[in-house]
Amino acid sequence: MTTPPVRFRLPRSVRLGMTIALLAALGTGAIVWYQVNEEYRTSVEDLDRRAGVLLHRTTPAARSALELPDDQIAKAMGERLEGHSRLLGFALFRPDGRYVAGGEAVADLESTIAPIVARIHTGEPEVREVVRSVSGTTHVLASMIAAPDGAHTGTLVVLHDALYLEDRLTRGMVRGLALALSVAGVLFVLTSGLAWALFERPMHALAEWMRKLRFGGTQAAPPPGLPLRRLEDESAHLAASFRAARSQERESADTLTRSDKTWTRERLRAHARSALGDTTLVVVSNREPYMHQFADGRPKLVRPASGLVTGLDPVLQACGGLWVAHGAGDADRATVDANACVSVPPDDPRYTLRRVWITKEEEEGYYYGFSNEGLWPLCHLTHERPIFRASDWDQYVNANQRFADAVLNEVGAESAVVMVQDYQVALVPAMIKQRRPDLRVGLFWHIPWPNPEAFRICPFRAEVLQGMLGADLIGFHLQQHCNNFLDTVDRMVEAKLDWDRFSVELRGSTTLVRPFPISVQPWSEKHVASGDELAARSESLRHKFSLANVPIAVGVDRIDYTKGIAERFRAIERFFERCPQHRGQFSFVQLGAPSRTHIPRYRDLVTELETLADAINWRFKADNQGWKPIHFLVAHHDEMTVHAFLKMASVCIVSSLHDGMNLVAKEFIAAQGEPTPTGADGDGVLILSEFAGAARDLPDALIINPYDTEEFAEAIRIAVEMPGEERRARMSRLYQQVSEHNIYRWAAEFLTALTQAKTNPSPKPVEPATRA
């Protein structure tokens, strides 16, 4: 995607001053232009009168001279043809336009005079004109000389040097321009200065106060010196309301944080208020929680498919604050303010999204290159060879600096707690700490961390580790990933490890390393359909995709080679081979969101999966007309559709080949709900890969090895044929686990650990190190 140029706008006071100055300059210039031209016209008229007098005096002598032969005319006129001062002289022409006599200075101007004399010969009795030529500016007065009987006997021309008129005109214009610029300059300074001092500066102070108020990090009193008395009064009322609300919120926070109830949005908000105080919470990630794309020429809101977004959006909605992310939508610029910020969610704004603009070249290297062709396959160990390029690394560093700068610009001099999210922004913690070592910075790594021998493949391993160790706290999903990370640091960075505290000391700064298994929020908070509306939606989806009324299993994934979708399809095929009685009685629906299609491996994967699904469907087509074993739905599905499929599915399959957590497993459990005796809710079975982090949290799922097709197919059979009582018992335990360990508990535990961590006393720059 081509990134449009960054918009730059002058301050309003400057624009106002420029407008007034321009209008003043135009007005002054118009007046000066009029005056100068009037003076010029008056001077020309004066010259006309002087030339006319001279012409009148000389005409009798010229008439007499023209009666003589040509060679005697000059002698007859004598010195009367010569000029003096600005008068260049006189010239005499015959009726046929032939030059016969003239002053010494006039002879060189014959070619200039000729067109004017020709006009006399065509019938004009007198011609007055200022003629400009390469030799100068000349005032010419030509008049016909007539005999007593009225016959045309010749033409007398009077010529004056008029260059002084041009000089006078030019000096007048220059003086006028200087005057106009002076007036404009004075008015610009006065207007801009007064507008800034009396309006813009106090309004900026008010805007900054309101920004801090929104983030919860400001004193209650509004700034003084506002331009309107009513604005001062309303700001004071707002401050009073804020003090009352903050006091009540603190009381509620104390009450809620002392309770033993399940973690909810309200309890997290109270806990965050207690833990953060007036400190701003900032989340940093590559992927934005809300994207805008143009559809039919108008911006349309899109929710990106992302486990990170699924986990973090409810946290910011509960706590408020700021989310800094890459603005990747083609309509993102059209929906932000001058500071690249927009309040989200649009229908019920709870926090601020600050978009970072990444150039096409940076995105190629930083996101598609180093992050997703390098770190992603390196950390997932799924037999995809990682690719590392020096140019990609350079763009990765540049992009990370953009994110760090955006955070620091938004935070300003205020205190903040910064939660940096995932592998695309691994250098941001150290970059923030270089300039603001007092800020608390946490990094949560959403994907697995490989063993040291695997991570050794990365040519920039030391630099990545140093960037991460800028954080006060690093979180992973699993203790195993924490162990792998510490082993990696131990082998590749000169640092002191404390295995008892699970911490790393690097150049005098300490970083804690802890496991924080992430989870999901209740579906009820996402405003999805329920009851009759959900039933109608489910029926509509069954009709749309020809699912009839057979039970279905569902998979929901980004189309990625780490998700084990091909292994899933082969297990479905083997299941129908082994259990022909289920053909026509059961179908599998795969919701696949296209992802990273700019990378050839991902584009090829979509084609491979479509080919595999078509082959399996063709193989079993003859058994039951109109029935398909696999429905592969490639699209970006909205939350309503995903929830409807998870709710109506009797089985959910998560077959990741390697995954940090995989929140689809937990979203399925949350969608199924608390089991009921009638089986209307909580009747689903989860098939879960042992290589997904969620397998450690959800032991009541059917745990499988996705590489073992026979075991996988058998797990599908068990899930399909499992008695209702066992299904509900398993789901009851799974639902209790997910309900108690939800996203709000995860955020509370991470925030608690981060706010209690000792801030690093000095910045830790990201610099090249000796590569082990």
Side-chain angles (χ1 to χ4, degrees):
M1 182 190 71
T2 301
T3 303
V6 177
R7 294 178 298 179
F8 173 75
R9 299 189 69 184
L10 292 170
R12 290 183 181 275
S13 58
V14 174
R15 282 182 279 154
L16 176 63
M18 290 177 66
T19 301
I20 293 178
L22 178 61
L23 293 174
L26 291 174
T28 305
I31 293 172
V32 170
W33 180 86
Y34 176 78
Q35 290 178 338
V36 169
N37 277 277
E38 279 295 300
E39 291 177 4
Y40 178 79
R41 185 180 61 81
T42 302
S43 298
V44 171
E45 289 177 350
D46 181 60
L47 201 54
D48 287 341
R49 286 191 293 272
R50 290 168 55 194
V53 171
L54 292 171
L55 182 74
H56 180 71
R57 291 176 182 176
T58 310
T59 297
R63 182 181 297 112
S64 298
L66 287 171
E67 294 177 355
L68 301 173
D70 291 352
D71 56 357
Q72 296 179 23
I73 293 177
K75 184 177 180 180
M77 291 296 293
E79 293 183 355
R80 285 192 291 268
L81 294 175
E82 299 299 332
H84 58 85
S85 184
R86 291 184 180 132
L87 175 64
L88 297 176
F90 296 82
L92 283 171
F93 291 81
R94 291 292 187 186
D96 59 0
R98 181 165 41 87
Y99 174 75
V100 292
E104 183 179 350
V106 173
D108 297 333
L109 299 172
E110 183 180 352
S111 60
T112 302
I113 306 169
I116 297 174
V117 174
R119 292 168 59 185
I120 297 294
H121 296 159
T122 60
E124 294 186 45
E126 189 174 272
V127 177
R128 304 167 186 264
E129 190 169 326
V130 177
V131 181
R132 297 174 179 84
S133 64
V134 293
S135 58
T137 303
T138 307
H139 178 272
V140 180
L141 172 58
S143 178
M144 181 179 71
I145 298 177
D149 59 358
H152 182 191
T153 60
T155 303
L156 176 62
V157 180
V158 184
L159 297 99
H160 282 85
D161 181 4
L163 184 60
Y164 76 96
L165 295 179
E166 297 291 329
D167 292 341
R168 186 180 298 172
L169 179 66
T170 302
R171 288 195 299 270
M173 288 295 185
V174 171
R175 287 195 300 270
L177 178 61
L179 176 62
L181 291 177
S182 299
V183 171
V186 171
L187 285 176
F188 172 75
V189 172
L190 289 175
T191 305
S192 299
L194 289 173
W196 171 257
L198 300 179
F199 179 76
E200 192 161 9
R201 183 172 62 180
M203 293 306 292
H204 274 296
L206 180 63
E208 180 64 16
W209 177 79
M210 295 180 71
R211 186 187 72 84
K212 294 175 182 178
L213 182 68
R214 176 162 48 92
F215 289 153
T218 183
Q219 298 297 321
L226 296 177
L228 298 176
R229 177 61 182 271
R230 183 176 180 183
L231 192 59
E232 290 184 358
D233 294 342
E234 291 299 329
S235 297
H237 295 327
L238 180 63
S241 299
F242 174 76
R243 285 193 297 268
R246 180 57 57 86
S247 176
Q248 184 178 2
E249 188 175 20
R250 286 199 178 100
E251 293 177 3
S252 300
D254 292 340
T255 302
L256 280 172
T257 51
R258 287 193 297 266
S259 68
D260 294 327
K261 61 190 295 188
T262 301
W263 281 94
T264 61
R265 174 184 294 183
E266 290 71 25
R267 187 181 179 190
L268 174 62
R269 183 183 294 114
H271 177 80
R273 180 56 56 203
S274 176
L276 297 172
D278 290 335
T279 302
T280 302
L281 177 62
V282 182
V283 170
V284 186
S285 69
N286 170 74
R287 187 158 298 185
E288 57 184 334
Y290 299 89
M291 176 190 297
H292 288 90
Q293 298 279 13
F294 279 116
D296 299 325
R298 301 179 64 183
K300 179 182 178 182
L301 184 69
V302 177
R303 293 293 304 275
S306 168
L308 184 150
V309 169
T310 299
L312 270 297
D313 180 56
V315 174
L316 263 292
Q317 288 199 39
C319 301
L322 176 73
W323 190 322
V324 177
H326 172 206
D330 58 16
D332 278 353
R333 286 181 181 270
T335 54
V336 296
D337 61 19
N339 297 317
C341 293
V342 59
S343 296
V344 292
D347 54 344
D348 182 21
R350 295 300 186 96
Y351 63 92
T352 299
L353 171 60
R354 163 67 155 88
R355 286 169 171 156
V356 176
W357 311 124
I358 303 294
T359 66
K360 181 179 180 181
E361 291 73 22
E362 286 173 333
E363 188 176 19
E364 289 276 355
Y366 144 76
Y367 181 72
Y368 293 111
F370 190 80
S371 295
N372 289 311
E373 288 186 300
L375 289 179
W376 177 268
L378 174 67
C379 291
H380 281 87
L381 301 176
T382 52
H383 319 299
E384 186 69 21
R385 180 175 177 269
I387 300 173
F388 292 100
R389 308 177 187 90
S391 59
D392 291 346
W393 167 253
D394 292 339
Q395 299 294 2
Y396 185 82
V397 174
N398 293 340
N400 273 246
Q401 190 63 60
R402 285 184 184 270
F403 284 102
D405 291 344
V407 172
L408 293 167
N409 290 339
E410 289 295 322
V411 170
E414 300 297 319
S415 60
V417 171
V418 185
M419 296 172 61
V420 181
Q421 302 296 314
D422 227 358
Y423 61 100
Q424 300 98 340
V425 284
L427 307 183
V428 169
M431 290 175 171
I432 291 176
K433 284 288 190 174
Q434 286 175 32
R435 290 162 57 184
R436 288 291 306 274
D438 59 305
L439 297 182
R440 294 186 185 274
V441 180
L443 169 65
F444 190 79
W445 194 267
H446 287 257
I447 62 176
W449 188 272
N451 60 62
E453 292 307 315
F455 197 75
R456 185 184 295 273
I457 295 171
C458 178
F460 309 98
R461 51 190 176 271
E463 292 89 334
V464 171
L465 291 170
Q466 290 172 9
M468 296 174 65
L469 290 171
D472 301 295
L473 172 68
I474 298 177
F476 295 94
H477 288 299
L478 305 178
Q479 183 64 53
Q480 176 189 345
H481 299 161
C482 297
N483 297 344
N484 287 347
F485 177 76
L486 290 177
D487 280 339
T488 303
V489 172
D490 193 24
R491 298 192 192 189
M492 300 179 191
V493 178
E494 292 293 332
K496 179 181 178 181
L497 270 67
D498 185 338
W499 284 94
D500 293 332
R501 296 182 61 241
F502 265 76
S503 65
V504 179
E505 184 177 334
L506 177 66
R507 291 191 287 275
S509 300
T510 301
T511 301
L512 301 179
V513 182
R514 299 284 188 273
F516 298 96
I518 200 168
S519 191
V520 296
Q521 73 178 130
W523 278 102
S524 58
E525 295 182 359
K526 300 182 181 181
H527 308 293
V528 294
S530 60
D532 294 339
E533 183 184 355
L534 176 59
R537 187 173 186 85
S538 299
E539 185 63 29
S540 174
L541 291 172
R542 283 185 175 274
H543 177 75
K544 179 178 179 180
F545 298 111
S546 303
L547 296 173
N549 291 318
V550 299
I552 64 168
V554 70
V556 182
D557 304 90
R558 285 185 307 103
I559 299 178
D560 191 292
Y561 51 79
T562 65
K563 302 302 180 181
I565 300 175
E567 286 74 11
R568 199 176 303 172
F569 287 177
R570 295 189 187 100
I572 292 291
E573 179 182 31
R574 184 59 180 143
F575 163 70
F576 285 117
E577 287 176 353
R578 294 173 52 179
C579 305
Q581 69 274 20
H582 291 294
R583 298 176 191 173
Q585 306 301 314
F586 177 79
S587 289
F588 174 69
V589 178
Q590 175 64 51
L591 305 183
S595 176
R596 302 168 188 166
T597 51
H598 190 79
I599 300 175
R601 178 69 182 90
Y602 283 81
R603 291 199 303 270
D604 296 341
L605 180 61
V606 176
T607 304
E608 292 170 12
L609 293 174
E610 288 177 335
T611 301
L612 179 58
D614 288 344
I616 294 171
N617 287 337
W618 180 261
R619 178 181 177 188
F620 296 104
K621 181 179 180 181
D623 293 346
N624 292 275
Q625 293 297 327
W627 168 80
K628 290 197 302 185
I630 297 175
H631 296 260
F632 187 26
L633 311 182
V634 180
H636 291 285
H637 303 281
D638 59 33
E639 283 187 333
M640 291 288 192
T641 300
V642 172
H643 173 256
F645 272 111
L646 292 176
K647 185 70 174 179
M648 69 171 131
S650 58
V651 178
C652 178
I653 302 178
V654 175
S655 55
S656 305
L657 305 182
H658 202 187
D659 225 336
M661 176 55 65
N662 193 294
L663 294 181
V664 172
K666 296 185 177 183
E667 287 190 315
F668 171 69
I669 295 168
Q672 286 289 300
E674 183 75 29
T676 60
T678 62
D681 291 308
D683 197 40
V685 178
L686 175 64
I687 299 175
L688 180 58
S689 167
E690 63 179 290
F691 303 119
R696 276 72 170 176
D697 291 345
L698 308 173
D700 280 287
L702 298 180
I703 307 299
I704 52 100
N705 178 352
Y707 294 99
D708 188 340
T709 305
E710 294 299 324
E711 178 191 76
F712 199 162
E714 177 61 15
I716 297 173
R717 185 197 66 78
I718 293 173
V720 172
E721 298 179 355
M722 184 179 293
E725 184 177 349
E726 183 181 352
R727 296 163 71 94
R728 288 188 290 275
R730 285 175 177 266
M731 184 53 66
S732 177
R733 293 189 292 270
L734 290 171
Y735 185 78
Q736 183 177 1
Q737 167 70 16
V738 171
S739 297
E740 292 180 0
H741 297 81
N742 58 25
I743 186 61
Y744 302 121
R745 179 168 181 168
W746 171 86
E749 291 176 350
F750 191 88
L751 278 176
T752 299
L754 180 56
T755 54
Q756 292 178 354
K758 182 180 179 181
T759 55
N760 293 325
S762 59
K764 300 181 285 189
V766 179
E767 54 189 36
T770 302
R771 293 172 187 164

